Amino acid sequence: MAKTELVAGLGFGAAVGVALGALVIAPNLTTSMADDDPIREEHRKVVQDNKILQTQNDASDKIVADSGAEMVDGALSQRPVLIVTTDDANGGDVDAIRKLLKSSDATEAGEIKLTKDFLRPETKDKLLPILKDTAPKKADIKDLDSAGALGGEVLGTALSMDPESTKPLASVEERADVLHKLRDEGFIDYEDGTIVPAQAIIVVSGNGLRGYPSSALAEFATGLDDVNGSVVLSGRTKQTQDDKALAQVRDQDAELSTVDSTERAVERIAVILATQEQLDGGQGDYGATETADSALPGKE
């Protein structure tokens, strides 16, 4: 039988099999190819190699994590540090950074969660009036028309100490007004009685979303830093891809610091050391991606 006839015959057989609800020739072909298929074998090898690499990475992470407390010990002694998390922040990342902050002897300034609505385009028209109505007197909002930038300016003023005098930028009443209104309208969440003015702010995000949420987060973090002066924006590896928030901030050559790959123990440590560096007047981009300066501050 000619080759073209064989191919045509196989095609006809397949068509009949599908029409009858069973591909009658497929089992024999699959069985005969399975044992010697080089692509299948290569796939099996890649999967096995990846498992080995993952096991090695997990072991390395555990060693680094176990020594993390020692590496940051005293780094932020008596410095009030606030944590701001996004809706997509990984709980394990946040817990690890919180524990490292405690090991650094930082003073807890509280933790605020930005809900999904804070960074959504559908709700910005509702958010903007609240921010404008509750802005503390020292907030410079006249030239700001984006929810991200305005949110950074307003919350930055409400939650920060003056970088020079270390006095709160907002009164207790102003701070309470901002926080209560934003929480009542579902834009943030926090525990009552836990938020105090901070000298530094750590923003913990996750993988990020393309488009408006990333731009809003980048503007928010930059706005916070314009007021506070010691801000670190952190996120997972994917936060540096597809023009997401970390990528945008790094492209802008901003004065705040950034840390990517916070799914890894060493980069969680980098968050604490980058905060210390910010308070000492320095800046850097840290992590495991090609846009980072190095893995840790001072380790180029």
Side-chain angles (χ1 to χ4, degrees), residues 178-253:
V178 174
L179 295 177
H180 290 164
K181 291 284 179 59
L182 288 174
R183 185 174 64 179
D184 289 346
E185 295 299 327
F187 288 106
I188 65 173
D189 196 18
Y190 63 93
E191 291 185 19
D192 286 325
T194 62
I195 309 300
V196 298
Q199 283 186 293
I201 300 174
I202 295 173
V203 181
V204 185
S205 64
N207 291 318
L209 298 171
R210 296 187 187 94
Y212 179 89
S214 285
S215 296
L217 178 58
E219 292 174 351
F220 172 75
T222 303
L224 283 180
D225 190 65
D226 288 342
V227 178
N228 180 276
S230 297
V231 172
V232 175
L233 172 62
S234 66
R236 294 199 147 204
T237 302
K238 291 182 179 180
Q239 191 65 265
T240 63
Q241 303 168 358
D242 302 317
D243 201 30
K244 292 179 184 176
L246 275 174
Q248 290 187 38
V249 171
R250 288 178 177 179
D251 286 344
Q252 294 165 6
D253 196 25

Side-chain angles (χ1 to χ4, degrees), residues 117-132:
D117 283 347
F118 195 94
L119 301 173
R120 289 179 65 204
E122 296 86 352
T123 52
K124 66 179 180 179
D125 289 339
K126 181 181 177 183
L127 175 59
L128 281 167
I130 297 172
L131 292 170
K132 290 177 180 178

Side-chain angles (χ1 to χ4, degrees), residues 2-299:
K3 189 174 183 180
T4 53
E5 293 175 317
L6 177 60
V7 171
L10 290 174
F12 176 76
V16 173
V18 171
L20 294 174
L23 187 56
V24 293
I25 64 171
N28 287 336
L29 286 176
T30 304
T31 302
S32 63
M33 293 174 64
D35 295 336
D36 300 319
D37 187 351
I39 296 177
R40 188 185 297 273
E41 181 58 32
E42 182 63 22
H43 173 72
R44 188 181 297 115
K45 185 177 183 300
V46 168
V47 170
Q48 186 177 32
D49 288 347
N50 283 339
K51 286 182 179 179
I52 293 172
L53 286 172
Q54 186 60 53
T55 300
Q56 293 172 335
N57 285 336
D58 290 345
S60 298
D61 254 14
K62 187 177 186 308
I63 292 172
V64 173
D66 288 345
S67 60
E70 183 178 349
M71 292 179 68
V72 303
D73 182 38
L76 297 171
S77 180
Q78 298 182 346
R79 299 293 195 116
V81 180
L82 174 76
I83 297 176
V84 175
T85 66
T86 60
D87 179 71
D88 73 329
N90 180 275
D93 298 351
V94 177
D95 288 344
I97 290 170
R98 191 187 299 118
K99 289 177 182 177
L100 287 169
L101 269 179
K102 187 174 182 179
S103 297
S104 75
D105 298 328
T107 299
E108 291 185 19
E111 187 173 320
I112 294 175
K113 178 181 179 179
L114 305 182
T115 68
K116 191 176 295 183
D117 283 347
F118 195 94
L119 301 173
R120 289 179 65 204
E122 296 86 352
T123 52
K124 66 179 180 179
D125 289 339
K126 181 181 177 183
L127 175 59
L128 281 167
I130 297 172
L131 292 170
K132 290 177 180 178
D133 290 345
T134 61
K137 292 178 182 178
K138 291 185 178 180
D140 185 9
I141 65 171
K142 59 184 177 182
D143 296 323
L144 301 177
D145 56 4
S146 75
L150 188 61
E153 177 71 25
V154 171
L155 278 174
T157 306
L159 299 169
S160 299
M161 294 179 174
D162 185 292
E164 300 297 329
S165 67
T166 69
K167 292 182 179 179
L169 291 173
S171 67
V172 174
E173 292 77 15
E174 287 177 322
R175 182 164 52 257
D177 190 33
V178 174
L179 295 177
H180 290 164
K181 291 284 179 59
L182 288 174
R183 185 174 64 179
D184 289 346
E185 295 299 327
F187 288 106
I188 65 173
D189 196 18
Y190 63 93
E191 291 185 19
D192 286 325
T194 62
I195 309 300
V196 298
Q199 283 186 293
I201 300 174
I202 295 173
V203 181
V204 185
S205 64
N207 291 318
L209 298 171
R210 296 187 187 94
Y212 179 89
S214 285
S215 296
L217 178 58
E219 292 174 351
F220 172 75
T222 303
L224 283 180
D225 190 65
D226 288 342
V227 178
N228 180 276
S230 297
V231 172
V232 175
L233 172 62
S234 66
R236 294 199 147 204
T237 302
K238 291 182 179 180
Q239 191 65 265
T240 63
Q241 303 168 358
D242 302 317
D243 201 30
K244 292 179 184 176
L246 275 174
Q248 290 187 38
V249 171
R250 288 178 177 179
D251 286 344
Q252 294 165 6
D253 196 25
E255 294 183 3
L256 69 159
S257 292
T258 64
V259 180
D260 66 61
S261 306
T262 49
E263 61 267 41
R264 303 299 305 274
V266 66
E267 310 315 339
R268 294 165 179 171
I269 294 169
V271 170
I272 307 304
L273 298 181
T275 305
Q276 178 191 34
E277 183 182 56
Q278 277 280 321
L279 286 164
D280 290 340
Q283 185 277 336
D285 299 311
Y286 306 106
T289 66
E290 60 182 10
T291 57
D293 299 328
S294 60
L296 294 168
K299 302 295 182 182

